[in-house]
Amino acid sequence: MFLPIFFFILSILIPHSSASNDFCIADLSLPIGPAGYPCKDPKSVTVDDFISSSLTVPSGNTTNLYNASFKDIDTEQFPGLNGMGISMLRADLDMGGLTPLHTHRVSELLLGIEGSVLVGFIDSNNTAYYKTINKGEVIIIPPTLLHFFYNVESTRAVTYSFYPSDDHGLQGVDSSLFRGNLPSEMIDKITLLGHAQIQQLKKLLGGTN
Ligand SMILES: *[C@@H]1O[C@H](CO)[C@@H](O)[C@H](O)[C@H]1NC(C)=O
Ligand SMILES: *[C@@H]1O[C@H](CO)[C@@H](O)[C@H](O)[C@H]1NC(C)=O
Ligand SMILES: *[C@@H]1O[C@H](CO)[C@@H](O)[C@H](O)[C@H]1NC(C)=O
């Protein structure tokens, strides 16, 4: 008696299995909404929509302040990731290359691909955890904690990072202070840096005010 009713209700609640419920390849030609991009017509989806070759090449030009380049692999670069709750980043660090202190909303699983990098994070009790990560090793960085990594060899280092989110929401400490529009006199009040140093860093990073 109860069983047929149960299955009847279940069949109403659970959508019928069809390709359109299994995935939603982003249609980047349409505007993004709170739930991500609208889906590409399932009839035109092929296996290539689930594959990206973006990580097979270096992430970019490392002739910059950080001797490093970064490439995000998210829905914009890889429409198959739409709504999957995961994204990636490739970092290429030349000699002296670094990823400055930053934070994001979600955890980060960092995998050494080439060379050696020193990875560190600082917990809310100001305890620092840091270690050199070599090729094939992984480190898990807890969500929201400030962290960094830099190349410890004279050869190139490459790392891949994985984030359990479509959008990891990165925020850099030096970018926030010196690349944006926070007025210098306010930075002067809230940090122990002197005015001249603040001006110098704003100039270096392109901040205004
Ligand atoms: C890399 O960037 C530097 C500085 O912007 C530039 O001078 C150089 O030509 C670039 N190299 C390549 C290969 O694009
Ligand atoms: C950054 O790269 C340049 C060019 O390869 C190199 O001369 C410089 O020493 C590097 N910076 C550091 C801090 O190693
Ligand atoms: C917090 O850090 C202090 C030293 O700064 C240490 O004595 C204390 O044990 C730490 N507490 C925890 C919970 O790790």
Side-chain angles (χ1 to χ4, degrees):
M1 173 70 188
F2 283 115
L3 221 56
I5 293 171
F6 176 74
F7 281 117
F8 174 69
I9 291 171
L10 211 65
S11 73
I12 295 172
L13 292 179
I14 298 176
H16 293 284
S17 164
S18 76
S20 59
N21 290 326
D22 291 338
F23 49 79
C24 172
I25 308 295
D27 183 343
L28 298 179
S29 68
L30 297 171
I32 190 170
Y37 281 95
C39 310
K40 181 175 167 178
D41 180 358
K43 288 197 268 311
S44 67
V45 169
T46 72
V47 66
D48 289 334
D49 287 306
F50 299 93
I51 294 167
S52 167
S53 302
S54 304
L55 293 170
T56 60
V57 292
S59 52
N61 190 336
T62 55
T63 307
N64 53 47
L65 190 57
Y66 301 121
N67 276 9
S69 65
F70 307 96
K71 188 194 271 173
D72 264 318
I73 306 293
D74 53 21
T75 303
E76 269 84 22
Q77 286 75 39
F78 184 4
L81 291 187
N82 195 36
M84 295 288 169
I86 190 163
S87 56
M88 286 184 72
L89 174 129
R90 171 175 170 145
D92 290 75
L93 309 177
D94 268 349
M95 185 174 72
L98 67 105
T99 305
L101 200 61
H102 67 282
T103 175
H104 26 79
R105 290 188 287 270
V106 295
S107 57
E108 170 174 353
L109 189 68
L110 184 144
L111 165 66
I113 296 291
E114 199 178 314
S116 301
V117 290
L118 188 139
V119 185
F121 62 88
I122 304 155
D123 75 6
S124 54
N125 189 39
N126 299 326
T127 302
Y129 299 83
Y130 50 90
K131 188 153 191 190
T132 298
I133 296 299
N134 299 305
K135 179 178 174 173
E137 292 185 310
V138 287
I139 179 169
I140 181 73
I141 299 162
T144 74
L145 299 186
L146 286 166
H147 59 283
F148 61 87
F149 55 100
Y150 59 82
N151 191 353
V152 290
E153 307 279 4
S154 54
T155 52
R156 186 174 76 138
V158 178
T159 61
Y160 290 173
S161 292
F162 304 86
Y163 308 94
S165 168
D166 285 15
D167 173 15
H168 49 83
L170 186 146
Q171 187 172 27
V173 172
D174 51 3
S175 306
S176 303
L177 289 173
F178 308 114
R179 194 163 271 168
N181 66 347
L182 187 66
S184 297
E185 63 269 22
M186 292 187 190
I187 302 175
D188 212 348
K189 283 211 191 300
I190 62 174
T191 67
L192 299 175
L193 301 171
H195 184 74
Q197 205 171 1
I198 292 166
Q199 293 307 109
Q200 192 195 352
L201 288 165
K202 282 223 169 199
K203 197 166 163 218
L204 189 64
L205 291 167
T208 56
N209 286 337

